[in-house]
Amino acid sequence: KVAFDWAKDLQIAYKHCRSFGFAVQAGGNMGVWPWLLSKKFDQVLTFEPGTVCWSHLVTNIADSFNVDMRACALLDRIVQCEVRNDKPNNLGAQYVVPGLGQVLATTIDLQMSDQSGCDLIYLDIEGAELLALRGAAETLNKFHPVVVVEDNGLSERFGSAKGDVERWLAKEFGYKVVARPHRDVVLV
C-alpha cells in the first residue's frame, strides 16, 4: 500500500525527463517501481539482489515485455556481496555488504555499455545510492538523466552522510535538486 501511495511521486520525476526511452531502477524489490516505470518508458532495467524479493519481482512483472531484470546489486565496482536485513518484517529494508556473500554487485556503466541513451536513474537501495552513482559516472556524463535517490540517512552504513549524493552530483556533473517528495531527492 505504501509503495502505491508514493507512486504518484514518479510524476514529479517525469516532469523533468526529456524523453522516455530508457530507465534504470534499483532495488526492484517486488516489482512495483519497475512495473510502474514500464508503463511510461520504452525499456526499464531493474536490479534486485535479494532472493525472496527477486522471486516476487519475476512473478509480478513477468508480463512486462519491456523490463530487463538483473539479480544483482549496484555499487561502484564488481564485488561479491551479502544481502542483509535488520528489519525482517520489511523486505524493502534489505541492503548489501560488499566483500562478503554470494551476490554479485556490478556498476550501472558496465550494464549500460550497449545503450544509446538513459533518461532516468531511480535508486532506492538502502544507503548505497552514492556508490551506485559513482559506478554510473560515464552514464551520467554522457546522457544526463534525471536522477532520483532515496536519502534517509542510511548511507552512513557505506561511509557517506545524508546529502552527500546531491553534493557529489552537483560538484561532478552540475546537477541541481528540483524536488524532495517524501524521502526522495529529484535531481536534474
Side-chain angles (χ1 to χ4, degrees), residues 13-36:
Y14 292 164
K15 285 190 235 177
H16 300 283
C17 290
R18 295 180 303 274
S19 60
F20 297 92
F22 196 90
V24 173
Q25 187 277 330
N29 198 266
M30 297 197 190
V32 172
W33 297 110
W35 179 77
L36 289 167

Side-chain angles (χ1 to χ4, degrees), residues 82-105:
E82 177 182 16
V83 177
R84 291 189 184 166
N85 189 344
D86 300 333
K87 300 176 184 175
N89 293 328
N90 180 357
L91 286 174
Q94 296 179 109
Y95 63 96
V96 296
V97 177
L100 304 169
Q102 302 299 315
V103 174
L104 181 69

Side-chain angles (χ1 to χ4, degrees), residues 3-179:
F4 283 108
D5 285 347
W6 289 13
K8 60 184 171 269
D9 293 351
L10 284 173
Q11 300 305 317
I12 296 167
Y14 292 164
K15 285 190 235 177
H16 300 283
C17 290
R18 295 180 303 274
S19 60
F20 297 92
F22 196 90
V24 173
Q25 187 277 330
N29 198 266
M30 297 197 190
V32 172
W33 297 110
W35 179 77
L36 289 167
L37 290 166
S38 76
K39 304 302 179 199
K40 188 76 170 176
F41 287 85
D42 296 335
Q43 186 68 36
V44 176
L45 175 59
T46 188
F47 299 84
E48 175 52 54
T51 55
V52 174
C53 285
W54 174 258
S55 65
H56 291 296
L57 170 70
V58 170
T59 300
N60 289 335
I61 61 173
D63 295 336
S64 297
F65 68 93
N66 61 337
V67 178
D68 185 1
M69 299 173 276
R70 309 278 166 93
C72 58
L74 288 177
L75 291 172
D76 57 350
R77 65 196 183 281
I78 297 173
V79 64
Q80 292 299 120
C81 297
E82 177 182 16
V83 177
R84 291 189 184 166
N85 189 344
D86 300 333
K87 300 176 184 175
N89 293 328
N90 180 357
L91 286 174
Q94 296 179 109
Y95 63 96
V96 296
V97 177
L100 304 169
Q102 302 299 315
V103 174
L104 181 69
T106 187
T107 71
I108 291 173
D109 284 344
L110 284 173
Q111 301 300 308
M112 291 291 296
S113 63
D114 63 343
Q115 296 300 323
S116 60
C118 182
D119 304 297
L120 175 69
I121 296 176
Y122 200 102
L123 303 176
D124 180 353
I125 51 178
E126 303 306 300
E129 289 81 1
L130 181 56
L131 293 176
L133 289 169
R134 285 183 175 152
E138 292 175 26
T139 301
L140 293 165
N141 194 46
K142 185 174 180 182
F143 302 121
H144 310 289
V146 172
V147 175
V148 181
V149 295
E150 183 180 49
D151 190 9
N152 57 6
L154 294 176
S155 57
E156 291 176 4
R157 67 172 54 126
F158 294 98
S160 60
K162 188 172 181 175
D164 280 356
V165 168
E166 61 192 76
R167 287 186 285 276
W168 182 79
L169 285 170
K171 179 182 176 193
E172 297 296 322
F173 304 100
Y175 274 78
K176 294 183 183 346
V177 174
V178 294

